[in-house]
Amino acid sequence: MPVKTPVVLDGALNDEVWRQNPPTSNFVQSEPETGQPATQKTDVWLAFDKDTLYIAAYCHDAPGHKPVVTTLRKDFPIGDEDSFEVILDTFGDRRNGFEFATNPAGAHADQQVTNEGKDINVSWDAVWFVKTAIVRDGWTVEMAIPFRSLRFEVGGPAWGVNFGRHLRRKNEVDYWAPVPRAYTLARVSLAGTIDGLTEAQPGRNLQVKPFLLGSSVRPTGGTAFDHSLDAGIDLKYGVTPALTLDITGRPDFAQAEADEQTVNLTQFSQFFPEKRGFFLENAGLFYVGDAARNNRINPTPSPDEDLLLFFSRRIGLSPGGAPIPIAAGARLTGRAAGFTVGALNVQTERSGATPPTNYTMLRARRNIRGASDVGALFMSRQSTTGGGAWNRVYGVDANIRLPGNIDWSSYAVNSATPGARGATGAWRTSFNHEGNYFHGKIGAMELGRDFRDDMGYYRRVGARKWLLDTGIRPRSAAMKAKGIRELHPHLTWNYYTSPSGRMIAKSLHSGFSFFFNNGAVLELSSNQQFQAITSPLRLAATAPSMPAGNYSWNEWKVLFQTDASRPISVSGNYYFGGLWSGTQHTLQATLSIQPVHRARVSLGINRTSAVLKLPVSSFVTALYTIRANYSFTTNMYLDALTQYNADIHQVNTNVRFNLMHHPLSDLFVVYNEQRFTTADGTPPGRGLILKFSQMLAF
């Protein structure tokens, strides 16, 4: 409804537009009783003027029940507390959307949804405002989302919209447009429709964000501090209402959250997710891969690490995670001529022996037949020195929605590298069905022996993989009365062969999960493993290398997660049984203590005690973690992470203070320290970084 008088954003719901117009209600449960009316009423209003979309909600609750609030932090975990969320499908394509959420304390969470959850970018940020108020019978919400923060086509299709509410004390999830419990709000094809947004205008949408960064750093073992002062700029411009150009000059990501170390007992390099802002925005558009899988423990889909075709951490970071200076970068994303398009180009500078390099990623996708799409991609890494090395990857992909709620996802690519003449291609195909009771996926993929992707992440080449992932989710009133909401017996099978058909690896995960009414999870599983390694492998700094050969073992696993909304919670995994040529006892656990919703302390342990038969040996590897967070307000935080690696007697500390002094504008103060606990006199490495940015909108 158009706004006739200004809306005062205070969470009170006493503005004329809310008082004089009826709300929309009738929310429906997704959890626990799919399709049944919500146990508590939720009223929602929508209003707009030419610049802003306003959303108000009254989340009713029985008197005497205080809303559950666990944090003030931005991008909080939505399912761990009471929350209200909205998704806007601004292109009306029933695939993609912008999601905004808040809790009773007024915390902000926003994310970008691509292809109905195939990729969910929780690090996407927008300028929007929210105020909440706790009342006698629930809590209220007022949101203001400027149209300039969104991307849409003026005069295009009607927008899709859906609203969700989490009622944490009942572990209940409700939606305005019904969504089966196998899915989340990201299932945009099930959303409702907003009509009448004819006056919406995206504006010129020009944002300029300069930054200043000062640092003083002494490397570990060094004797002097290196002082530096740098500056850079980010620019965002709406080329059309549906097409956005981003340009960055000399970006610096020193304020990005530090990677958390883990113990690696495999023959593969570890996978760390992207955390740098420039590469996170619209990242889902460049994603090529598997269909989205519903995951009750973590709803964000995880990439297939056997081949992630585009992995932005290959740009501007060394294999060890050290930064490589970026001279400039540009990204063009959005909709044009009926296509969803994306173009990324980044130029890095020389760093030691690494020459200056240009990286290019081009992506186009077109919607067909309702919820299906086809696309193409081209990637290039080119050393910009004379006669420098290069690599190209190009191909096509398709995601087809078949009858019976089956998603068929496939891609085929080829690579070109100097000197490569053999099997240079790779492909993947899978069929996936998600239902309330049954889920199943089957598929296959292959990476040629000479396939190479310098902008991707993959574990092995010259391999074909067969995969199966299936299970059932029975529920009953009798189980519910005993505190168990759902059982989940399931099976995951991966089988790898060489081009000649020889088995080179396999894994069989047979698990039985218990999902409890309060959100706790317990899983018992057996994991049979086979790995053929062609070179010696060292599992820990204190362990001898195992010889090349074939290894098979069976490990048992206990996964546990208590109610995360409680002041004290525990989560983790315990492994016992086989490990390569011997046996293991491995504990990965985190104890979280939250005395108030502003503060949280987490204590973590990742410890393995193993005995090997080949060679005869034993070792203990351990990693201890302390993470502390304090939220002063909804836009000022202090985070501290300390990790102790007992294998190499190393302590790493990262402390970050973040003040969001203006929308999309930050002041960061970051302190890093690395020291060794051995008495060898090595001076610790230390660094202090200050970064100030200011977003200017025109």
Side-chain angles (χ1 to χ4, degrees):
M1 65 195 76
V3 173
K4 298 179 181 178
T5 58
V7 174
V8 178
L9 209 68
D10 56 9
L13 303 190
N14 54 10
D15 299 279
E16 179 182 348
V17 68
W18 314 135
R19 290 187 289 104
Q20 296 187 358
N21 294 281
T24 182
S25 301
N26 302 321
F27 276 52
V28 176
Q29 291 185 53
S30 178
E31 284 280 0
E33 303 293 340
T34 300
Q36 295 299 309
T39 62
Q40 302 296 324
K41 186 180 181 182
T42 305
D43 296 324
V44 178
W45 295 261
L46 277 176
F48 61 90
D49 56 29
K50 64 182 180 64
D51 299 316
T52 306
L53 176 67
Y54 300 97
I55 301 169
Y58 196 134
C59 301
H60 296 266
D61 203 352
H65 289 285
K66 293 180 60 177
V68 177
V69 182
T70 64
T71 185
L72 289 176
R73 299 188 63 81
K74 190 179 184 306
D75 295 328
F76 60 91
I78 295 174
D80 288 351
E81 56 198 300
D82 280 37
S83 62
F84 173 81
E85 53 187 329
V86 57
I87 191 167
L88 300 171
D89 171 15
T90 57
F91 289 110
D93 61 6
R94 303 297 176 173
R95 290 174 177 79
N96 310 294
F98 303 101
E99 188 173 335
F100 304 87
T102 189
N103 65 10
H108 288 63
D110 44 22
Q111 56 190 28
Q112 193 174 27
V113 174
T114 303
N115 261 12
E116 296 202 271
K118 174 171 284 193
D119 183 85
I120 298 177
N121 181 4
V122 297
S123 297
W124 175 78
D125 292 319
V127 176
W128 62 288
F129 309 93
V130 63
K131 292 292 184 180
T132 60
I134 297 177
V135 295
R136 184 184 64 85
D137 60 339
W139 58 290
T140 57
V141 180
E142 280 185 310
M143 291 181 176
I145 305 172
F147 288 124
R148 69 175 183 271
S149 297
L150 304 171
R151 307 289 175 265
F152 58 93
E153 296 173 301
V154 177
W159 294 12
V161 65
N162 202 358
F163 308 101
R165 179 183 175 187
H166 289 252
L167 186 62
R168 190 60 184 84
R169 67 181 175 85
K170 292 188 173 185
N171 199 17
E172 179 179 328
V173 182
D174 305 321
Y175 296 112
W176 172 66
V179 177
R181 65 174 180 263
Y183 303 106
T184 66
L185 199 68
R187 198 71 168 182
V188 190
S189 59
L190 302 176
T193 302
I194 303 178
D195 292 317
L197 291 178
T198 55
E199 299 181 11
Q201 295 292 328
R204 287 180 293 177
N205 192 31
L206 173 61
Q207 297 177 2
V208 180
K209 187 176 180 179
F211 73 84
L212 288 172
L213 183 140
S215 64
S216 180
V217 178
R218 182 183 70 188
T220 303
T223 57
F225 283 87
D226 179 27
H227 309 289
S228 64
L229 180 65
D230 294 298
I233 191 169
D234 295 328
L235 182 147
K236 182 185 295 290
Y237 177 64
V239 180
T240 71
L243 200 61
T244 302
L245 173 66
D246 293 273
I247 297 176
T248 186
R250 296 189 59 81
D252 189 282
F253 309 105
Q255 82 286 355
E257 182 182 1
D259 290 324
E260 190 167 324
Q261 301 174 63
T262 59
V263 174
N264 185 7
L265 298 176
T266 75
Q267 72 269 47
F268 306 113
S269 62
Q270 292 176 288
F271 179 88
F272 293 104
E274 179 63 86
K275 298 180 180 180
R276 298 170 296 169
F278 178 77
F279 295 101
L280 286 169
E281 185 167 358
N282 290 311
L285 195 153
F286 298 101
Y287 178 74
V288 181
D290 197 10
R293 255 301 311 273
N294 183 72
N295 187 319
R296 299 305 180 85
I297 301 172
N298 180 0
T300 302
S302 58
D304 186 338
E305 295 176 12
D306 283 301
L307 176 55
L308 181 58
L309 281 167
F310 177 66
F311 184 44
S312 58
R313 282 181 65 110
R314 294 288 183 248
I315 305 173
L317 287 174
S318 71
I324 296 173
I326 294 176
R331 179 181 60 234
L332 183 69
T333 55
R335 292 284 295 271
F339 286 86
T340 301
V341 296
L344 176 71
N345 186 270
V346 176
Q347 177 68 43
T348 62
E349 300 177 352
R350 180 178 298 277
S351 178
T354 304
T357 305
N358 184 265
Y359 298 85
T360 299
M361 167 60 161
L362 303 176
R363 180 82 166 108
R365 192 172 66 232
R366 187 175 183 90
N367 297 335
I368 60 172
R369 292 185 57 234
S372 302
D373 62 81
V374 295
L377 73 147
F378 172 81
M379 296 187 294
S380 169
R381 185 197 64 81
Q382 174 73 59
S383 173
T384 51
T385 55
W390 55 270
N391 171 249
R392 314 274 190 269
V393 177
Y394 51 90
V396 295
D397 71 310
N399 302 283
I400 308 298
R401 182 71 52 82
L402 300 173
N405 207 22
I406 296 174
D407 294 314
W408 176 25
S409 298
S410 301
Y411 62 75
V413 298
N414 194 34
S415 66
T417 310
R421 296 289 185 270
T424 57
W427 57 266
R428 189 187 196 283
T429 188
S430 67
F431 293 86
N432 183 54
H433 168 78
E434 286 291 335
N436 289 343
Y437 179 76
F438 170 79
H439 70 84
K441 177 193 294 185
I442 58 171
M445 70 181 301
E446 183 173 317
L447 288 78
R449 190 181 300 279
D450 294 309
F451 174 77
R452 177 171 169 177
D453 180 3
D454 289 352
M455 294 174 66
Y457 178 90
Y458 50 99
R459 291 177 164 177
R460 48 165 65 93
V461 294
R464 176 172 292 182
K465 173 186 176 182
W466 305 91
L467 62 102
L468 170 68
D469 185 353
T470 187
I472 58 174
R473 301 184 174 113
R475 298 187 175 194
S476 71
M479 290 193 306
K480 183 178 179 181
K482 296 179 180 179
I484 300 174
R485 175 167 294 184
E486 179 179 288
L487 302 178
H488 183 211
H490 57 277
L491 181 74
T492 303
W493 176 74
N494 296 306
Y495 185 81
Y496 302 82
T497 63
S498 67
S500 63
R502 176 178 58 88
M503 181 178 69
I504 57 176
K506 71 175 180 179
S507 64
L508 176 62
H509 168 84
S510 306
F512 201 106
S513 306
F514 301 81
F515 292 87
F516 297 91
N517 292 335
N518 64 359
V521 181
L522 175 66
E523 179 179 296
L524 310 175
S525 65
S526 166
N527 300 283
Q528 299 179 37
Q529 303 280 347
F530 172 85
Q531 295 287 340
I533 55 175
T534 57
S535 58
L537 174 64
R538 192 177 186 183
L539 297 180
T542 57
S545 296
M546 298 186 305
N550 298 334
Y551 296 84
S552 62
W553 70 95
N554 181 54
E555 68 180 22
W556 299 88
K557 175 183 174 182
V558 180
L559 178 151
F560 50 93
Q561 167 69 67
T562 64
D563 183 354
S565 69
R566 305 296 297 172
I568 299 177
S569 61
V570 181
S571 63
N573 302 285
Y574 173 60
Y575 300 85
F576 61 97
L579 176 68
W580 292 92
S581 66
T583 59
Q584 67 165 322
H585 290 275
T586 297
L587 177 63
Q588 303 167 347
T590 301
L591 169 66
S592 296
I593 304 170
Q594 185 165 300
V596 293
H597 67 273
R598 294 179 182 272
R600 176 188 291 265
V601 176
S602 299
L603 308 176
I605 180 173
N606 191 335
R607 184 182 189 275
T608 295
S609 173
V611 177
L612 302 180
K613 297 179 181 178
L614 190 64
V616 176
S617 59
S618 64
F619 69 88
V620 175
T621 180
L623 185 66
Y624 303 95
T625 302
I626 301 176
R627 182 185 289 276
N629 315 101
Y630 188 83
S631 302
F632 299 92
T633 67
T634 58
N635 58 6
M636 185 165 63
Y637 320 112
L638 182 65
D639 301 307
L641 171 66
T642 296
Q643 290 193 283
Y644 173 58
N645 189 327
D647 289 9
I648 56 177
H649 307 286
Q650 184 187 74
V651 179
N652 289 321
T653 299
N654 172 251
V655 181
R656 296 191 313 151
F657 171 80
N658 179 201
L659 170 63
M660 292 182 283
H661 58 89
H662 186 268
L664 300 187
S665 304
D666 298 274
L667 170 65
F668 286 100
V669 181
V670 182
Y671 174 76
N672 294 308
E673 180 177 293
Q674 182 183 89
R675 65 168 58 238
F676 290 91
T677 59
T678 52
D680 59 0
T682 302
R686 288 174 177 160
L688 181 65
I689 299 165
L690 284 81
K691 182 175 182 179
F692 178 84
S693 65
Q694 175 71 55
M695 194 273 285
L696 306 172
F698 301 93

